[in-house]
Amino acid sequence: MNRLIELVNENLDKYIEIRYPEDIFKAMRYTVLLPGKRLRPVMCLETCRMLGGNIMDALPAACAIEMLHAQTLIHDDLPCMDNDDYRRGKLTNHKVFGEALAVLAGDALLTFAPQVIVKNSQKLGAVKLLKILEEYFQYAGAYGVIAGQVVDILNENTVSVASAETLDFIHTHKTADLFKLSIRTGAIIADADEAQISAMTDFAQKLGFAFQIADDILDETSTFEKMGKTLGKDKLEGKLTYTALFGLDKARSDLAHLLHDCRSVLMKNAFQSEIFEQIIGKIAVT
Amino acid sequence: MNRLIELVNENLDKYIEIRYPEDIFKAMRYTVLLPGKRLRPVMCLETCRMLGGNIMDALPAACAIEMLHAQTLIHDDLPCMDNDDYRRGKLTNHKVFGEALAVLAGDALLTFAPQVIVKNSQKLGAVKLLKILEEYFQYAGAYGVIAGQVVDILNENTVSVASAETLDFIHTHKTADLFKLSIRTGAIIADADEAQISAMTDFAQKLGFAFQIADDILDETSTFEKMGKTLGKDKLEGKLTYTALFGLDKARSDLAHLLHDCRSVLMKNAFQSEIFEQIIGKIAVT
């Protein structure tokens, strides 16, 4: 796992070169290179390896997905959205570079990420490259992660009236969609067949849900020091979260069930992956 | 020209279907469908026709470029950027939908636009599609229109110390880059050769510059009623503009020279286009 994280970090650093006007590239680099678990690129690389592909073929796409993830963080943290001052223990992008540059850095990453894929994955051939870009557009956009963020914003202060269905929509799109993009991209690069892609999409949906429930639990039970971001805000601001809707106990038991289902998908399909076992294990100890 | 504008409007309307969550699609549609000259998609379609292509093949890409243009308007108008309340005679996106949705609508358009191209241009084949997407990423991102906006923002209140070189950079990227994207995309779809693409890129650069100088002149000399946006703000806010740096007289004479050079490019290459003549003519009467 650490080797994959290092590989991702090295290449993220390499892909975003500072040119004129320096400020935009510095702002892009700032959030992309904040130390993190690199969960999404690692899942992309590991899926590729697990399904018989070469991880080096998936490296540009894996890094691009981390850039997209950073983009969502930069814009979600803006004053007009979640208004967060800290992220991964550091000041958020707009706190360092100002709002205008934070908006533009996010915008830039949205097209820079797929450009990194095209520039550095020519050996995949035009047909496969196009397929990967289609996945990117689908999950990054208004049908994907943005749909989740929109419904999240529109449902602040609606815990008492909101439905489990709405929360399901938010978690599916805001969190699980980037997991699906990571895993499906790795699978496509490995030339996985439809049945494998479908099984791993199901896995990604369940793992994404589990990850979000764990995040909601931690928001209530952890500390700033451990998480590197301001906690307890969701509750204060009346955000629709899993714990707010169902309580901590049900959240913990649903989390355990989801992670059990994730393991079942791997087992049933004879997918062997120490790294996915580790990821599941880490989410479980929440 | 009117037929092309109608064709673009019909297809913009068709491409952005309203789905759940409706607010994001409504916000995207709001700015994209504001009545406008559709200059960029018209230039894309007309370049394609002029160089022997079928305009129907270029229609999805032409509409995508208008969506990208709308994206830049939505984010440029935000309070943290130019803080504009009116655009094309109507309230700006964030004034109608709020800042959070305006940020997300812009974000969504950045990946929705190339998705429209891929979904609706399959007959172009993977290689050509990829080439068009590469142009899109290049001109839409940190090397293109965003670089222009960044330098523009960083150079507020620097009229007295700023150089013609800086203004040149802003105009090249903030304005001419979308003209180049429009024209080059039309040329690529028409299977134009390198010499033709190069000549039309030169044309686009000059026409973009002329358009921006004309815009700067109008900002000083026109009225809200004619332009549909608040005028005179550039001067008040100490923005670096052509007229601020060189004065109205030089702006007018440089504009005339640039438009003359645009006509020369068409003539030298035996490119026949009534529509480009009309566009040049309209910019000339500023």
Side-chain angles (χ1 to χ4, degrees):
Chain A
M1 180 106 100
N2 287 337
R3 195 179 66 90
L4 293 185
I5 293 173
E6 260 174 50
L7 198 60
V8 168
N9 284 338
E10 276 165 26
N11 281 274
L12 286 172
D13 181 47
K14 196 187 77 184
Y15 290 141
I16 316 182
E17 270 180 79
I18 295 182
R19 299 202 197 169
Y20 180 81
E22 295 188 1
D23 299 57
I24 185 73
F25 295 100
K26 284 183 183 165
M28 290 159 74
R29 286 175 63 87
Y30 177 78
T31 301
V32 170
L33 297 179
L34 282 183
K37 301 182 295 287
R38 309 292 180 234
L39 196 52
R40 293 155 195 81
V42 164
M43 292 193 297
C44 176
L45 297 173
E46 176 61 4
T47 304
C48 178
R49 184 209 60 77
M50 186 179 82
L51 300 179
N54 180 342
I55 62 163
M56 296 313 286
D57 292 345
L59 194 52
C63 289
I65 294 168
E66 183 68 11
M67 291 177 195
L68 169 61
H69 176 55
Q71 185 281 325
T72 65
L73 302 182
I74 296 171
H75 282 190
D76 284 3
D77 288 338
L78 286 170
C80 66
M81 304 264 207
D82 294 348
N83 195 21
D84 278 314
D85 292 352
Y86 290 95
R87 169 72 69 181
R88 296 178 177 171
K90 305 269 183 184
L91 287 171
T92 45
N93 201 287
H94 64 274
K95 282 281 162 187
V96 177
F97 298 94
E99 270 181 71
L101 266 172
V103 169
L104 291 170
D107 291 352
L109 287 168
L110 273 171
T111 50
F112 193 86
Q115 191 173 28
V116 162
I117 301 179
V118 176
K119 276 192 183 164
N120 299 283
S121 311
Q122 288 293 323
K123 63 176 285 206
L124 298 181
V127 172
K128 205 192 268 191
L129 261 175
L130 212 53
K131 211 171 164 186
I132 293 165
L133 292 178
E134 282 183 76
E135 295 280 325
Y136 177 88
F137 300 146
Q138 182 68 21
Y139 289 109
Y143 304 131
V145 69
I146 291 174
Q149 176 68 357
V150 169
V151 177
D152 193 14
I153 286 173
L154 297 177
N155 280 282
E156 278 173 16
N157 299 309
T158 61
V159 177
S160 54
V161 293
S163 63
E165 216 178 6
T166 302
L167 188 66
D168 188 287
F169 185 92
I170 295 171
H171 286 189
T172 293
H173 292 291
K174 200 169 164 176
T175 309
D177 271 4
L178 284 198
F179 282 44
K180 282 185 238 172
L181 175 62
S182 306
I183 283 173
R184 289 173 60 90
T185 300
I188 290 167
I189 293 172
D191 285 321
D193 62 34
E194 278 308 316
Q196 291 175 315
I197 293 176
S198 162
M200 284 307 288
T201 305
D202 180 36
F203 174 85
Q205 170 72 17
K206 291 183 162 80
L207 193 68
F209 248 73
F211 181 83
Q212 187 57 53
I213 294 174
D215 198 63
D216 286 354
I217 293 172
L218 287 172
D219 192 69
E220 290 210 9
T221 62
S222 190
T223 61
F224 179 90
E225 286 64 35
K226 277 191 199 157
M227 299 289 286
K229 61 182 179 181
T230 312
L231 296 176
K233 271 187 69 200
D234 288 354
K235 205 171 188 174
L236 275 175
E237 289 171 2
K239 274 237 169 188
L240 184 58
T241 66
Y242 209 81
T243 46
L245 203 59
F246 299 115
L248 265 175
D249 286 347
K250 181 165 162 56
R252 287 205 170 104
S253 91
D254 287 354
L255 171 61
H257 277 117
L258 279 164
L259 293 175
H260 175 266
D261 290 349
C262 285
R263 289 201 177 94
S264 298
V265 174
L266 296 181
M267 230 155 37
K268 259 191 229 159
N269 292 277
F271 294 152
Q272 305 222 336
S273 162
E274 267 183 45
I275 282 177
F276 277 124
E277 291 293 340
Q278 280 177 42
I279 290 170
I280 292 169
K282 275 190 187 167
I283 297 174
V285 295
T286 301
Chain B
M1 180 106 99
N2 287 336
R3 193 177 69 88
L4 293 185
I5 294 174
E6 260 173 52
L7 199 60
V8 168
N9 285 338
E10 276 165 25
N11 281 275
L12 287 172
D13 182 45
K14 196 186 75 183
Y15 289 139
I16 315 181
E17 270 180 80
I18 295 183
R19 299 201 197 170
Y20 179 82
E22 295 189 0
D23 300 56
I24 185 74
F25 295 100
K26 283 182 185 166
M28 291 158 74
R29 287 175 63 87
Y30 177 78
T31 301
V32 170
L33 297 179
L34 282 183
K37 300 183 293 290
R38 308 293 179 233
L39 196 53
R40 292 155 196 82
V42 164
M43 291 193 297
C44 176
L45 297 174
E46 176 61 4
T47 304
C48 179
R49 184 210 60 77
M50 186 179 82
L51 300 179
N54 180 342
I55 61 163
M56 296 314 285
D57 292 346
L59 195 51
C63 289
I65 294 167
E66 184 67 13
M67 291 176 196
L68 169 63
H69 176 54
Q71 185 278 328
T72 65
L73 301 183
I74 295 171
H75 283 190
D76 284 3
D77 288 338
L78 285 170
C80 66
M81 303 264 208
D82 293 349
N83 194 21
D84 278 314
D85 292 351
Y86 290 95
R87 169 72 69 181
R88 295 178 179 171
K90 305 269 182 185
L91 286 171
T92 45
N93 201 287
H94 65 274
K95 281 282 162 187
V96 178
F97 297 94
E99 269 182 72
L101 267 172
V103 169
L104 292 170
D107 290 353
L109 286 168
L110 273 171
T111 49
F112 193 87
Q115 191 173 27
V116 161
I117 301 179
V118 177
K119 276 192 182 165
N120 298 283
S121 312
Q122 289 293 324
K123 63 176 286 202
L124 298 182
V127 172
K128 206 193 266 190
L129 261 175
L130 212 54
K131 210 170 166 186
I132 293 166
L133 293 178
E134 283 184 77
E135 295 280 325
Y136 177 89
F137 300 145
Q138 182 68 21
Y139 288 110
Y143 304 130
V145 69
I146 290 174
Q149 176 68 358
V150 169
V151 177
D152 192 14
I153 285 173
L154 297 176
N155 280 281
E156 279 173 15
N157 298 309
T158 61
V159 176
S160 54
V161 292
S163 63
E165 216 178 4
T166 301
L167 188 66
D168 188 287
F169 185 92
I170 296 171
H171 286 189
T172 292
H173 292 290
K174 200 171 164 175
T175 309
D177 271 3
L178 285 198
F179 281 46
K180 281 186 238 174
L181 175 62
S182 306
I183 282 172
R184 288 173 61 90
T185 300
I188 290 167
I189 294 173
D191 285 321
D193 62 34
E194 278 308 315
Q196 289 175 317
I197 292 176
S198 162
M200 283 308 288
T201 304
D202 181 37
F203 174 84
Q205 170 72 16
K206 291 183 163 81
L207 193 67
F209 247 73
F211 181 83
Q212 187 57 53
I213 294 173
D215 198 62
D216 286 354
I217 293 172
L218 285 173
D219 192 69
E220 289 210 9
T221 61
S222 190
T223 62
F224 179 90
E225 285 65 35
K226 277 190 201 159
M227 299 288 286
K229 61 182 178 181
T230 313
L231 297 176
K233 273 187 68 201
D234 288 354
K235 204 170 188 174
L236 275 175
E237 289 171 3
K239 274 239 165 188
L240 184 58
T241 66
Y242 209 82
T243 47
L245 203 60
F246 300 114
L248 265 175
D249 286 348
K250 179 164 162 55
R252 287 204 170 104
S253 90
D254 288 354
L255 171 60
H257 276 117
L258 279 164
L259 293 175
H260 175 266
D261 290 347
C262 286
R263 288 200 177 93
S264 299
V265 174
L266 297 181
M267 230 156 35
K268 259 191 231 162
N269 291 277
F271 294 152
Q272 305 223 335
S273 163
E274 268 184 43
I275 282 176
F276 277 124
E277 291 294 340
Q278 280 176 43
I279 290 170
I280 293 169
K282 276 191 185 166
I283 297 174
V285 295
T286 301

